[in-house]
Amino acid sequence: MARSVVQLSGHIVDSLILPKVLDLIVNLGAEFEILDIQIGQRRADRSAARILIEAPSAEILETILAKIKEHGALPLDEEESVQVEPAPQDGVFPEGFYATTNLNTLVRFHNQWLEVQPPEMDCGIRVDPAAMRAETVPIHKVKKGDLIVIGHRGVKILPIERRVPREVFEFMSSPVSSEKPKGLLIQEIAESMKKVRQESGKILVVAGPSLVHTGASEYLVEMIEKGYVQILFAGNGLAVHDIEAALYGTSLGVYLDKKIRSTEGHEHHLWAINQIRKAGGIRQAVEQGLLSRGIFYTCVQKGVEFVLAGSIRDDGPLPDVVTDTLEAQDLMREKIRGVGLVLMMATTLHAIATGNLLPATVKTVCVDINPAVVTKLADRGTFHAMGIVTDVEPFLRELCQYL
Amino acid sequence: MARSVVQLSGHIVDSLILPKVLDLIVNLGAEFEILDIQIGQRRADRSAARILIEAPSAEILETILAKIKEHGALPLDEEESVQVEPAPQDGVFPEGFYATTNLNTLVRFHNQWLEVQPPEMDCGIRVDPAAMRAETVPIHKVKKGDLIVIGHRGVKILPIERRVPREVFEFMSSPVSSEKPKGLLIQEIAESMKKVRQESGKILVVAGPSLVHTGASEYLVEMIEKGYVQILFAGNGLAVHDIEAALYGTSLGVYLDKKIRSTEGHEHHLWAINQIRKAGGIRQAVEQGLLSRGIFYTCVQKGVEFVLAGSIRDDGPLPDVVTDTLEAQDLMREKIRGVGLVLMMATTLHAIATGNLLPATVKTVCVDINPAVVTKLADRGTFHAMGIVTDVEPFLRELCQYL
Amino acid sequence: MARSVVQLSGHIVDSLILPKVLDLIVNLGAEFEILDIQIGQRRADRSAARILIEAPSAEILETILAKIKEHGALPLDEEESVQVEPAPQDGVFPEGFYATTNLNTLVRFHNQWLEVQPPEMDCGIRVDPAAMRAETVPIHKVKKGDLIVIGHRGVKILPIERRVPREVFEFMSSPVSSEKPKGLLIQEIAESMKKVRQESGKILVVAGPSLVHTGASEYLVEMIEKGYVQILFAGNGLAVHDIEAALYGTSLGVYLDKKIRSTEGHEHHLWAINQIRKAGGIRQAVEQGLLSRGIFYTCVQKGVEFVLAGSIRDDGPLPDVVTDTLEAQDLMREKIRGVGLVLMMATTLHAIATGNLLPATVKTVCVDINPAVVTKLADRGTFHAMGIVTDVEPFLRELCQYL
Amino acid sequence: MARSVVQLSGHIVDSLILPKVLDLIVNLGAEFEILDIQIGQRRADRSAARILIEAPSAEILETILAKIKEHGALPLDEEESVQVEPAPQDGVFPEGFYATTNLNTLVRFHNQWLEVQPPEMDCGIRVDPAAMRAETVPIHKVKKGDLIVIGHRGVKILPIERRVPREVFEFMSSPVSSEKPKGLLIQEIAESMKKVRQESGKILVVAGPSLVHTGASEYLVEMIEKGYVQILFAGNGLAVHDIEAALYGTSLGVYLDKKIRSTEGHEHHLWAINQIRKAGGIRQAVEQGLLSRGIFYTCVQKGVEFVLAGSIRDDGPLPDVVTDTLEAQDLMREKIRGVGLVLMMATTLHAIATGNLLPATVKTVCVDINPAVVTKLADRGTFHAMGIVTDVEPFLRELCQYL
């Protein structure tokens, strides 16, 4: 029998933290005893509990301690430092390295709690003893000899306490289905966007090419012009079809202002790519007067940064596309600093890639007509996410009216 | 070897009728020889062909002749009368009865071609020798001794010739996906609706309860007020939630004008049902001043007829619901006479049931966020159907703007 | 300020009952104070708490008391009897009637707690003072003068405590997606079915017509022959296509043992309907030797009861179909007594209708390739439900191997 | 008025080529006159037609000629050579370059018809006058000065004639829905695979990670062992989860042989990545004895080539992943030579990327539980594609039984 006493404090009853911890203990094969508990009598009060865990083996106890730590449960004796080990070679972590969550995390090192910056899931933690700093490091960036945290001792996670009455972004435990009213929700998203901008936070838009196909670009252009977009993440497709529309009036060969498919337009998107390649890039095409309307034209005019990440289904691609996926990831990592709200629309690949990089605390709105995409994103631990199952064109149209 | 010569005429090349007929002949196991063909040189010209069919058996030849008849291919010698036989008992057709399509159909009887009225699929054809009339009859309506058409001899079908340039309703071979622009399409639907009304045709709306859940009722109310709805087909659910919204402001317990689910509203829809049952029905509730807003209130005020067909998932139901499904079907059959355009929104059961009753020539728009529903309807041989994959609330909002 | 003290007991922490109650109190606009709490130290121990609720008005307090009652929270003074009032007319409840949940429920009447039988959601509670019995009554069955419970005072609900480690049927908080392994799950369903049969419980199968289209009927036949189906709920479609397959080898005109669509088979399902109508019904067709294979033949041979409920999209229908939906509902109500496990496959309408009638404690497995259907069922408060997103034919094939 | 006479020959009636050409002419705004036509009397006979096109402008005529060329309609005077122009710089085509289809194509150059090799859509055509060769060239591979085809004159496309009775791969005009029987189809796919192998063609498998999550890997391993896979295209995900399963028994932390989610396994896939990075790659891990089971182990053992293409959502990635998307595309291009059949399972990105590179004549089977994915692939002009909507695990299990 292996034993440990952990403590929990905060709004652990009404934010469901205590039940979850008890659940994990039993699910992972151990028993618990609540040694003492003080329940906050009123909403504003905090609660605290000490729990004895009895596990059949030391190994299981370790697993449990590692797991309940994600909910803020710390062993009483957890005043020991993290264990670190040097990376054995470039791009390789030491065995048993600690894998991060997207929650705010602290590590205890030389009797001090260091905040791990920035929060990002599925990375390692690198400790710099000289500067007394701790940072998340993706595996491809680790250098031989870097000191990397091993195991979970000395790691503290600050769970997100969801309390009532909730903010709209915490409210959604499941995606907003197509069978629910959406008007007020869209209004609240608009309010959140305004608030982020008032506080000088950045708004990141992640968008797929059907934004252009459905005729929704004009609303994104309007949002950019009004200052509600600071960064745009997309792929070659969005840019190509936006530029195709700007140059030829079609999107994948479909005239956006006519009802009937232009059977002639097959080549348009390839010709658009060729023109931008000749110009040297999107910015250059704007400067040369070649490109004078659309999403990317407006981005260039308004100084909105964009990252176009490459994929194997790209035609061309445009010169602005970062074809190396690691390089693109790193660029996205860099740009999300300071982002206060993310609007993901009609894209699976780019939305999930962005979600992987975001701290859990960043507000995220994910809009797609396919409920599977929305669920997939919510499943990946993106906590402050609101999923809306709807058609992207009317969504953006209505959002613009509230901005 | 069994042989027959059939002839085809009309726009058989560009409306794909000739290729389909040749395809069927070979697929069903026979060979063809084109004896002669005149191809219309220009679009306005008609073409004609005579085709010899050689089948391995008389039975296969019969099958082929029955099948290609649906595309207008008639044996040269098809001047013989239809065969009729009396129904052996009430509700039972004679063996080998001819099963109708939803296309315009003629039967040759006593050297005369009689038009079969009204076109409806999956029925029998009853011939009245005294009145020299032919009519479709659903199986449950046949009476012992009724003369019913046997086999396919003497039956002529007028296929729909799809020609270019096409009307918007013919244009759609596949549903309009969520990735296509929809604005202009919606505008055209509005134009079609106006045209139908100018020609004094009726517009039938078939709608599911999520019309209320999503907050789209106000647009349907507006359409009714403007005179763009003459008949409404729905189930208990649409009426219950519309009346719940009118009486309590909620839909399935969700406040339509607030963002958060009213956890208290579980009983509202049951209380709404109870109130209408007490009043004696929807019309009575309006007359008593109990019901003073919403879709059904407006229907009563504006004289719009509605059929509420029962289903086994109904709560209550409301007194207006026709709980017998055969009776409901018959009522729907009766009401669709004179309908020029059908708008089906957010319902599978009622949309398919209505589609089964409609002649192929009635313009049909089917709107659902689930592509599977839209495809399912298109698959059932509803020819002049346009399927749109989108969210019903913004669809109706936009449609109203064009009306 | 309106105040009330409620108490809660049981496994209220780890089955999330306490946090849910606190959540409801705050969400509905009141404040709470935990007066005292004893937390069970170990898993086997029960906890208890007394909570003071302070609401801004008596009306809000009532709403809260009604709502938290669904989680077992009872006012301390709740020893008063239920209020009852006579139904004003046949088919109409008195104003403010109590609407049932599908959980086990007690009502206090003349100082005695009466168990309400059977648990069914969205009904009223009728109290018989002479027999001291309480029963759920659907609205259409209430008679003038029946004593019906009003308000929520004196009503006690026994919430389902979900505890760890969970049974497989409790385990699923969300549907099993198509991206998860299903083999072991299917094995467990087979084990549950065996156990239900060992305990002489009944197994109810609810199935849609694509069971026949996909070629899965043979597995259902096998299950029936092995004694794993006692009752079958379906619509006209399943029976028609099963009989079409038995008589003609096709399903909706597609030969089940050939790859290519039989273009000739359009009439087959109508001819099948006609033959059974002539015979007088399915049982008669079996007795007359007309029907000698398939699902319904096997049902007749093995004495499996079936309910075929009508819908407005039915062709025919077969004489066995109960066309009145209220009558069909009542028949289903009657047959589900004693059912220990329900297997719902490839049907939305019949699955939801059945789910509405079932007590929350009956184990339910819902299989559909469309995640939306599975989610829809889970959303409707069917607690012990396991949703599996997969193709029904291989699911049944594999299930049969484990039986 | 601009005029041109084109001719068409082959099975132009029953493979729908003639009607499509007439359709295009009218849709694009011109009129036609059929100057003469000889219709093949029997199936084996070929037909031929000469059609006069009258367009309102020379520009429209050009568009029409370019478009109907995709269906094999060539101007009578099309004996002139293709026009070529030098590429203005590396990676840029000259203005008005001809964009290829995935059909077999010839170009007339110096009075000779050169076959363009290999067929690939959305590329340019580079002509080498010295070697008298023509080849497709993706835009990023063109070098300054390369002679590139301009316009469509002198380009001839050989359309695919779909004739009856059709092969199973031609048969499917729309995806096989989940409501159709699949057994015989799977049997035919197995037969096609055997035939491809007998003729020494290669089979390419393109697969997504849910193949591992659903427990289907063992069947893919079996197919590899039996020699039915020569090449595997996938992403980092498939390899990571396959290796995670091999090393830890979990897939995304879910134990594949247990019913309950392992809450401890979050790190497993990251640890798996780290181990392979340390080993230097998948092959090295096999050689070092670290990796001894699973899909990729079997690939290494059996000499199956694999391409792992990078994406921005990758964790790690594994050293074998080609992170540059252009480089990955080029590698895929190289490997598909000689492929006779492609099996795409549970992946959108890799399936579409592969589809873009394939000639129209390669048989393609696309399996996914999501109908949208299957439709998307079919929409992209992958002609010989068969889409099957089903769960991938039982599909592969059944396929293996027939191999």
Side-chain angles (χ1 to χ4, degrees), chain A residues 166-168 171-172 178-185 188 210 213-215 254-261 369 389-391 393-395 397-398 401, chain B residues 166-168 171-172 178-185 188 210 213-215 254-261 369 389-391 393-395 397-398 401:
Chain A
R166 293 165 173 157
E167 262 195 275
V168 66
F171 174 65
M172 301 298 145
S178 57
E179 298 204 353
K180 298 284 162 57
K182 268 153 287 198
L184 279 140
L185 219 60
E188 287 214 42
S210 64
H213 303 329
T214 58
V254 179
Y255 279 105
L256 291 169
D257 57 351
K258 291 182 198 163
K259 71 182 184 257
I260 293 180
R261 181 184 193 83
I369 204 167
V389 178
T390 191
D391 211 348
E393 190 265 345
F395 168 83
R397 180 153 33 100
E398 197 170 351
Q401 286 165 8
Chain B
R166 292 165 176 160
E167 261 195 276
V168 66
F171 173 64
M172 301 298 146
S178 58
E179 299 203 353
K180 298 283 161 59
K182 270 154 288 203
L184 279 140
L185 218 59
E188 288 214 43
S210 66
H213 304 329
T214 58
V254 179
Y255 279 106
L256 290 168
D257 57 353
K258 291 182 198 163
K259 71 184 182 255
I260 293 181
R261 182 184 194 81
I369 203 167
V389 179
T390 191
D391 212 347
E393 190 265 346
F395 169 83
R397 181 153 32 101
E398 197 168 351
Q401 286 165 7

Side-chain angles (χ1 to χ4, degrees), chain C residues 182-245:
Chain C
K182 269 154 287 201
L184 279 140
L185 218 61
I186 296 177
Q187 216 169 318
E188 285 213 43
I189 295 168
E191 291 313 312
S192 293
M193 289 172 71
K194 286 179 189 165
K195 202 163 152 244
V196 165
R197 290 306 296 143
Q198 280 155 13
E199 296 164 355
S200 303
K202 292 178 187 172
I203 295 174
L204 163 63
V205 167
V206 187
S210 66
L211 215 87
V212 180
H213 304 329
T214 58
S217 329
E218 59 176 298
Y219 307 112
L220 185 51
V221 166
E222 195 183 325
M223 277 173 56
I224 296 169
E225 283 173 344
K226 285 180 174 165
Y228 284 109
V229 182
Q230 278 62 53
I231 310 161
L232 176 62
F233 285 177
N236 187 58
L238 180 76
V240 166
H241 295 298
D242 173 56
I243 293 166
E244 179 194 347

Side-chain angles (χ1 to χ4, degrees), chain B residues 237-290:
Chain B
L238 180 75
V240 167
H241 295 298
D242 173 55
I243 293 166
E244 179 193 348
L247 300 185
Y248 302 99
T250 58
S251 177
L252 257 184
V254 179
Y255 279 106
L256 290 168
D257 57 353
K258 291 182 198 163
K259 71 184 182 255
I260 293 181
R261 182 184 194 81
S262 152
T263 40
E264 76 200 274
H266 163 59
E267 307 87 345
H268 288 176
H269 78 282
L270 298 169
W271 290 356
I273 292 168
N274 198 49
Q275 295 223 39
I276 303 299
R277 287 178 74 98
K278 198 170 176 185
I282 292 174
R283 171 174 306 279
Q284 292 87 333
V286 172
E287 284 162 1
Q288 294 163 27
L290 176 66

Side-chain angles (χ1 to χ4, degrees), chain D residues 8-218:
Chain D
L8 265 176
S9 60
H11 296 100
I12 59 176
V13 175
D14 59 340
S15 58
L16 305 190
I17 289 172
L18 175 61
K20 269 185 206 148
V21 165
L22 300 183
D23 199 270
L24 279 168
I25 293 170
V26 179
N27 254 334
L28 294 170
E31 288 289 326
F32 65 82
E33 184 173 343
I34 297 176
L35 299 181
D36 49 67
I37 185 165
Q38 295 86 38
I39 300 264
Q41 292 192 338
R42 299 178 155 276
R43 271 221 297 153
D45 302 342
R46 296 166 63 86
S47 303
R50 283 192 314 128
I51 302 160
L52 168 67
I53 304 169
E54 289 183 322
S57 73
E59 202 193 343
I60 291 177
L61 182 62
E62 274 312 283
T63 303
I64 290 171
L65 291 179
K67 221 49 212 171
I68 64 179
K69 175 165 292 177
E70 291 178 20
H71 300 281
L74 273 196
L76 277 186
D77 52 351
E78 191 89 320
E79 294 301 292
E80 45 183 325
S81 280
V82 291
Q83 267 184 281
V84 292
E85 236 178 71
Q89 57 189 86
D90 282 11
V92 178
F93 286 135
E95 290 262 320
F97 69 94
Y98 176 83
T100 55
T101 67
N102 56 8
L103 294 160
N104 288 322
T105 302
L106 304 170
V107 292
R108 186 154 186 93
F109 192 69
H110 292 175
N111 295 319
Q112 234 179 294
W113 285 107
L114 309 178
E115 197 181 341
V116 182
Q117 272 300 348
E120 183 185 330
M121 64 163 82
D122 291 346
C123 291
I125 297 174
R126 175 165 56 197
V127 176
D128 178 346
M132 282 298 277
R133 285 194 344 177
E135 55 185 342
T136 45
V137 56
I139 194 166
H140 71 278
K141 295 265 211 167
V142 70
K143 295 289 169 205
K144 182 175 176 170
D146 280 357
L147 293 180
I148 300 298
V149 172
I150 297 299
H152 62 89
R153 295 272 165 178
V155 179
K156 178 152 62 179
I157 293 173
L158 307 177
I160 292 181
E161 295 186 354
R162 297 168 179 249
R163 310 222 30 242
V164 283
R166 292 165 174 160
E167 259 195 278
V168 66
F169 280 91
E170 293 183 58
F171 174 64
M172 300 301 146
S173 51
S174 62
V176 178
S177 88
S178 58
E179 298 204 353
K180 297 284 162 57
K182 271 155 283 200
L184 280 140
L185 218 59
I186 297 177
Q187 216 170 317
E188 286 212 44
I189 294 169
E191 291 314 310
S192 292
M193 289 172 71
K194 286 180 188 165
K195 202 164 152 243
V196 165
R197 290 306 296 144
Q198 280 157 13
E199 295 164 356
S200 303
K202 291 178 187 173
I203 295 174
L204 163 63
V205 167
V206 186
S210 66
L211 215 87
V212 180
H213 304 328
T214 58
S217 329
E218 58 176 297

Side-chain angles (χ1 to χ4, degrees), chain A residues 78-92:
Chain A
E78 191 89 322
E79 293 302 291
E80 43 181 328
S81 280
V82 291
Q83 267 184 283
V84 293
E85 239 178 70
Q89 57 189 86
D90 280 11
V92 179

